[in-house]
Amino acid sequence: MEGIVKILVVDDERGIRDLLSLELGSRDYKVSTAANGEEALEKIKNEKFQLVISDIKMPRMGGLEMLEAIKKIDPDIEVIMSTGYGTVETAVSAMKIGAYDFIQKPFNLDEILALTEKALEKSDMKTLLGIYEASKAIFSSVKLEALLPLMAKLSTSILKADDAS
């Protein structure tokens, strides 16, 4: 992913927040943290994140409620949910709401890092698909008579050619 990738880690356990901040930060991600869902939503309203890694069981606002609110604010944010009290039903609920994936605590650090990479790749693919769709719309609406001379001119300048036809 081009540019700075911002990840928000949401967990009521300080140790988990610190561990993930350290590990993800060492991989050149810009990491912010929140201790609960309410704090996380405030950060999401004020800053653009590509990924949220969140606990499900938290005081004040649980992870599933927070996930629903995140998807209303920015449906493109990928969210990985985690919990030490997970059930299949909880995982299915999280996925139905729009979570990218679900990971059981205590998680293996390599597993969460691999999942982070996959979620960010999905985010990249969504961006590329958007660019493709936009360019397709532009090219389908432009008259061919105007487009061809422009493409020939761009080709000669980009390729430093004498002529193009």
Side-chain angles (χ1 to χ4, degrees):
M1 181 170 259
E2 292 298 314
I4 297 171
V5 176
K6 293 182 181 177
I7 299 175
L8 178 61
V9 175
V10 188
D11 202 302
D12 57 325
E13 293 179 52
R14 182 177 196 85
I16 299 285
R17 292 193 311 267
D18 291 348
L19 173 70
L20 289 175
S21 288
L22 182 70
E23 289 297 326
L24 294 167
S26 73
R27 286 163 176 76
D28 294 328
Y29 297 119
K30 184 177 186 297
V31 183
S32 295
T33 62
N36 59 59
E38 290 174 357
E39 191 181 325
L41 291 177
E42 279 307 307
K43 290 188 178 202
I44 288 168
K45 287 175 186 170
N46 297 311
E47 206 174 329
K48 174 76 174 151
F49 291 94
Q50 284 73 38
L51 176 66
V52 174
I53 301 172
S54 177
D55 192 10
I56 287 182
K57 296 243 187 237
M58 294 181 290
R60 298 171 77 185
M61 178 187 281
L64 295 179
E65 187 183 345
M66 181 200 69
L67 173 60
E68 275 188 84
I70 287 172
K71 290 299 180 176
K72 285 178 185 161
I73 294 167
D74 184 351
D76 292 332
I77 297 176
E78 297 300 340
V79 182
I80 298 171
M81 302 301 294
S82 70
T83 188
Y85 311 98
T87 61
V88 173
E89 292 79 20
T90 308
V92 168
S93 295
M95 301 302 268
K96 281 183 179 174
I97 297 170
Y100 171 76
D101 210 336
F102 179 87
I103 191 165
Q104 188 79 32
K105 282 182 181 177
F107 44 74
N108 171 311
L109 202 51
D110 290 335
E111 188 180 0
I112 192 91
L113 294 171
L115 202 51
T116 296
E117 289 294 320
K118 285 182 187 170
L120 291 170
E121 282 174 18
K122 181 181 177 194
S123 182
D124 273 352
M125 291 306 290
K126 280 190 206 172
T127 302
L128 288 174
L129 182 61
I131 292 168
Y132 167 74
E133 292 296 334
S135 65
K136 195 167 90 173
I138 289 167
F139 286 119
S140 69
S141 67
V142 172
K143 299 232 182 299
L144 194 56
E145 302 82 42
L147 185 59
L148 292 177
L150 177 62
M151 289 179 72
K153 183 180 175 194
L154 286 171
S155 296
T156 54
S157 71
I158 291 169
L159 299 172
K160 296 184 181 11
D162 294 330
D163 200 10
S165 60

